[in-house]
Amino acid sequence: MRFAAPIDNPIEITTAQYAAILGATPSKGARSPLLWNAAFKAAGIDAVMHPMDTRPEALGAVVAALKADPRYVGGAVAVPHKQAVGAFLDRLEAEAARIGAVNAIYRDGDALVGANTDGAGALSQIEALVGGADALRTRRATLIGLGGAGLAVAAYLAGRTASLTLANRTRATADAASQKLGAIAVDYPLSPEVLEATDLLVNATTIGHPDGPEGAPVAENLLSTLPEDAAVYDVIYQPRPTPLLAAAQALGLATLDGLGMNLDQAVIAFDKAVPGALSAERIREAMRAV
């Protein structure tokens, strides 16, 4: 049976259940179908995750069609729909409502529920990068980019670092997020003064991604103003290393990309969509294997 909603890549649904990732072009580079399909197979569930290329003006109609189809168990939400999709769902988990962005959907009876697993997935990775939760509390963090993923990561860093500074191409967005999270807003591009006072730099923009703007969100000559013990975390993970992380590694800084975050958020989201199908560790093993 063909999925009848207005997506740009026609899909035949042939399984008893299915999941979907909604994005502008999720089929072009999204890892979620690979991860979810491995977990479905490990759980013995007759289901597939389909990438659904959805234009912003069609988002409401696509969500309505998914809600009306009981075979749909949930899935992922990609750029640029993370902040808009909540308006079309029946309710949001408290964390997603606080962040103002949704990256995962799951079915609860006839209702579709929005969740945000980006922040939790990133936090575990950032803690590993800097040496644990206690070490993170000593770090002066600066985060660039306040789209759906950036807002989620910022919300999880707030209160867990010595300080949190937020920067965004649109300054008003940084001001609003900083007021909400008790952080400091600064202009972007970052100044040398901000970088000198940063020992955890987080990129949550798409700069450096194959589908995003070229280059790095911080110029290499400015990156050198970070302290020698600074750590640099990049939410994106294509290419490996990203331009930002390649420059940071050349300076001898500790770095980590977003591949582990992508895995961890998918584990959490899968468990919400098909609760109890597998333990979290078995989901993680199946996803990590691919």
Side-chain angles (χ1 to χ4, degrees):
M1 179 178 176
R2 177 163 289 195
F3 185 73
I7 58 175
D8 290 341
N9 55 328
I11 291 169
E12 293 288 339
I13 308 294
T14 60
T15 51
Q17 296 178 298
Y18 69 95
I21 174 169
L22 308 180
T25 54
S27 56
K28 192 172 182 179
R31 297 287 182 92
S32 292
L34 187 70
L35 301 178
W36 280 61
N37 291 342
F40 281 135
K41 183 177 180 180
I45 298 173
D46 181 26
V48 169
M49 173 178 264
H50 296 281
M52 293 187 174
D53 297 348
T54 306
R55 298 179 186 180
E57 63 270 20
L59 183 60
V62 172
V63 172
L66 292 171
K67 179 181 176 179
D69 188 345
R71 296 175 300 170
Y72 170 72
V73 298
V77 183
V79 174
H81 303 314
K82 292 185 179 186
Q83 290 163 280
V85 74
F88 305 110
L89 301 174
D90 295 290
R91 68 177 188 273
L92 304 182
E93 288 188 352
E95 197 67 33
R98 183 171 77 91
I99 293 166
V102 167
N103 79 310
I105 300 172
Y106 62 93
R107 181 178 292 279
D108 181 15
D110 292 331
L112 293 186
V113 184
N116 195 302
T117 63
D118 277 335
L123 180 63
S124 64
Q125 296 293 304
I126 292 172
E127 286 178 345
L129 172 63
V130 302
D134 289 342
L136 181 60
R137 293 188 188 98
T138 70
R139 294 279 176 153
R140 300 164 296 172
T142 297
L143 181 144
I144 312 166
L146 292 165
L151 285 170
V153 177
Y156 272 79
L157 288 177
R160 292 183 170 94
T161 57
S163 64
L164 177 61
T165 299
L166 303 178
N168 191 70
R169 182 176 56 184
T170 303
R171 174 60 188 260
T173 303
D175 289 335
S178 296
Q179 186 173 18
K180 185 176 181 180
L181 298 174
I184 303 162
V186 296
D187 290 333
Y188 179 78
L190 298 179
S191 69
E193 292 75 21
V194 169
L195 290 167
E196 287 169 0
T198 296
D199 44 31
L200 170 61
L201 178 65
V202 178
N203 173 45
T205 74
T206 59
I207 300 173
H209 189 277
D211 292 332
E214 292 184 359
V218 178
E220 189 169 352
N221 64 314
L222 288 177
L223 204 61
S224 63
T225 62
L226 288 169
E228 292 182 358
D229 62 346
V232 182
Y233 180 77
D234 201 334
V235 167
I236 63 176
Y237 51 89
Q238 298 178 73
R240 304 191 79 187
T242 66
L244 174 65
L245 296 190
Q249 289 165 7
L251 294 169
L253 303 177
T255 65
L256 187 64
D257 68 22
L259 189 60
M261 168 188 167
N262 186 253
L263 176 63
D264 283 358
Q265 64 82 19
V267 170
I268 299 167
F270 183 88
D271 189 52
K272 289 179 181 293
V274 283
L278 291 172
S279 69
E281 189 50 43
R282 283 286 290 115
I283 299 170
R284 185 173 286 104
E285 287 175 2
M287 290 183 172
R288 184 182 291 124
V290 296

